[in-house]
Amino acid sequence: MKIDRQQKYQGLVIALQANFYQVLLNQLGSYGVNELLCTCRTRLTQRGERICVGDQVEVESIDWKQRRAVVVSIGPRSSILKRPMVANCTRTLVVVTLNEPNLNPDQLSRFLLTAEAADLPIDVVFNKSDLVTFAIIQQWQKRVYKWGYASFAISSRTGEGLHKLRKHLKTSSLSVICGPSGVGKSSLINSLIPKLNLKVGSVSGRLQRGRHTTRHVELFPIEPNAMIADTPGFNRPDLPDEPQSLGWLFPEIRYAIIKRSCRFRNCLHQGDLGCAIGIEWDRYRFYRQSLEELLEFNKSNPVSFIRNRKGI
Ligand SMILES: Nc1nc2c(ncn2[C@@H]2O[C@H](COP(=O)(O)OP(=O)(O)O)[C@@H](O)[C@H]2O)c(=O)[nH]1
Ligand SMILES: [Mg+2]
Ligand SMILES: [Zn+2]
């Protein structure tokens, strides 16, 4: 089989596994092929470039019969979400449940911080609405609204609330679904794209932690120009690197500072005199705890602190 070495195609990385990249071509190739399994030109990895799901890439050395090719360059990125690692996402949905598993507000906040660090629009999704009363959901929706987030109450089992969510997602080119395991992320994608039939796991045992069924990040189309990313669940996202910039990841702090700034520019918002934020807000305890964790970590890892400060 002759391989055309010159022909170049552009596409979107929709999945990666080990050293292979699944690339969805922006236009159909020979024999109607639209997906290629690719390796990556060694020069790219030598330069330290890392291909992520969501990257726009250029491929060549295409073997249309075997559906294989080689990635030769990566396009510029508009955003990067660190964990799950996804490039060019335009929205994050943090999915949680109030029951099976129970909601842990601090865990939800850690997911929100990761999404904030990527500077993306964020929504909270309360799944499994079939398992709790409307009043309880409403209470939580009001609470996260005060934190600064819009939310959706849905059930991927009964279909409740899905229509509104689908409409919302169609306006975004790449939405990433993240959240703890077992909350129904894969089930949600299955209900949004019924022909998909992704594997779902059941919530296991007394600990009510989900079994990790989804092992890789993968993109699926809701519409031709609106992709959605299923991601493996993980239960404790890392905090961002810098204590100084932690506050900026809380909408409550951002909004307060826009109205009136703190007396000192390097204020860490711990309720000191001259701080414009104060301590009378719902997530203050979580904020303080996260700040202390970061300060403690940086004290015991001075090298990583220096590295973080340089943005390496
Ligand atoms: N009652 C109820 N169960 C759900 C709903 N969505 C998902 N589940 C169940 O929750 C479990 C975990 O689902 P899965 O999609 O694998 O969660 P993931 O780990 O977040 O991807 C499975 O047993 C699903 O059947 C829902 O809306 N209501
Ligand atoms: Mg899953
Ligand atoms: Zn302050």
Side-chain angles (χ1 to χ4, degrees):
M1 170 69 202
K2 188 176 160 294
I3 296 173
D4 189 341
R5 301 218 169 267
Q6 301 311 319
Q7 202 178 21
K8 284 192 170 139
Y9 270 73
Q10 256 108 42
L12 171 71
V13 179
I14 55 170
L16 57 103
Q17 251 183 60
N19 295 321
F20 290 98
Y21 308 91
Q22 191 74 28
V23 175
L24 176 68
L25 298 175
N26 295 351
Q27 60 179 108
L28 278 187
S30 305
Y31 311 108
V33 169
N34 68 345
E35 276 186 30
L36 295 167
L37 185 65
C38 301
T39 51
C40 160
R41 191 60 38 94
T42 11
R43 241 183 303 130
L44 270 185
T45 39
Q46 275 166 358
R47 269 188 266 149
E49 292 187 55
R50 186 167 163 193
I51 301 172
C52 300
V53 170
D55 268 325
Q56 273 290 334
V57 292
E58 192 167 51
V59 301
E60 61 179 39
S61 301
I62 305 169
D63 180 339
W64 292 112
K65 280 256 164 84
Q66 300 293 324
R67 301 176 178 221
R68 301 288 295 264
V70 180
V71 174
V72 291
S73 69
I74 309 171
R77 286 178 185 150
S78 61
S79 68
I80 183 88
L81 187 67
K82 289 250 177 77
R83 196 168 174 220
M85 189 72 120
V86 185
N88 300 317
C89 40
T90 49
R91 174 169 296 285
T92 31
L93 293 189
V94 180
V95 182
V96 289
T97 49
L98 298 171
N99 203 341
E100 291 186 23
N102 291 341
L103 179 58
N104 173 341
D106 288 3
Q107 185 190 44
L108 167 58
S109 280
R110 288 179 84 108
F111 275 100
L112 293 170
L113 290 183
T114 312
E116 289 279 3
D119 202 13
L120 295 166
I122 301 165
D123 299 300
V124 176
V125 174
F126 295 104
N127 189 29
K128 309 197 189 183
S129 64
D130 54 300
L131 298 179
V132 276
T133 62
F134 179 65
I136 290 178
I137 297 179
Q138 225 185 11
Q139 212 178 348
W140 270 101
Q141 287 197 282
K142 279 191 189 146
R143 189 166 172 193
V144 301
Y145 182 74
K146 285 198 185 142
W147 297 357
Y149 301 101
S151 63
F152 292 83
I154 62 151
S155 165
S156 31
R157 183 154 294 175
T158 65
E160 192 190 325
L162 280 182
H163 179 66
K164 200 168 146 204
L165 180 61
R166 185 184 286 112
K167 246 173 90 178
H168 183 61
L169 294 178
K170 279 181 180 176
T171 62
S172 191
S173 65
L174 175 47
S175 307
V176 176
I177 308 275
C178 51
S181 28
V183 296
K185 296 181 295 301
S186 301
S187 308
L188 168 60
I189 295 183
N190 276 338
S191 342
L192 291 169
I193 315 172
K195 63 175 192 285
L196 212 55
N197 208 7
L198 294 175
K199 268 204 213 127
V200 300
S202 53
V203 176
S204 57
R206 260 173 299 139
L207 283 177
Q208 295 234 310
R209 293 218 188 105
R211 266 190 243 136
H212 296 235
T213 325
T214 311
R215 302 207 177 275
H216 307 280
V217 179
E218 193 166 349
L219 304 188
F220 303 99
I222 283 201
E223 295 266 288
N225 291 316
M227 306 293 281
I228 187 161
D230 191 18
T231 68
F234 50 94
N235 288 323
R236 197 173 156 80
D238 292 334
L239 290 173
D241 296 334
E242 284 223 41
Q244 266 310 333
S245 50
L246 181 69
W248 199 248
L249 305 179
F250 287 76
E252 303 95 314
I253 295 184
R254 285 201 302 268
Y255 296 152
I257 287 182
I258 288 168
K259 282 195 209 137
R260 187 167 78 87
S261 49
C262 302
R263 186 191 297 168
F264 301 106
R265 273 193 62 204
N266 57 354
C267 182
L268 284 176
H269 320 304
Q270 301 178 89
D272 334 81
L273 213 67
C275 175
I277 320 299
I279 62 170
E280 299 293 319
W281 51 293
D282 188 13
R283 294 202 293 170
Y284 177 68
R285 183 200 51 77
F286 172 76
Y287 170 72
R288 277 297 293 268
Q289 203 178 301
S290 307
L291 185 66
E292 266 145 41
E293 193 179 314
L294 277 183
L295 291 170
E296 198 52 44
F297 178 80
N298 285 330
K299 214 180 337 166
S300 51
N301 295 277
V303 177
S304 93
F305 186 41
I306 292 164
R307 194 184 291 149
N308 290 339
R309 291 193 69 86
K310 286 185 180 162
I312 304 170

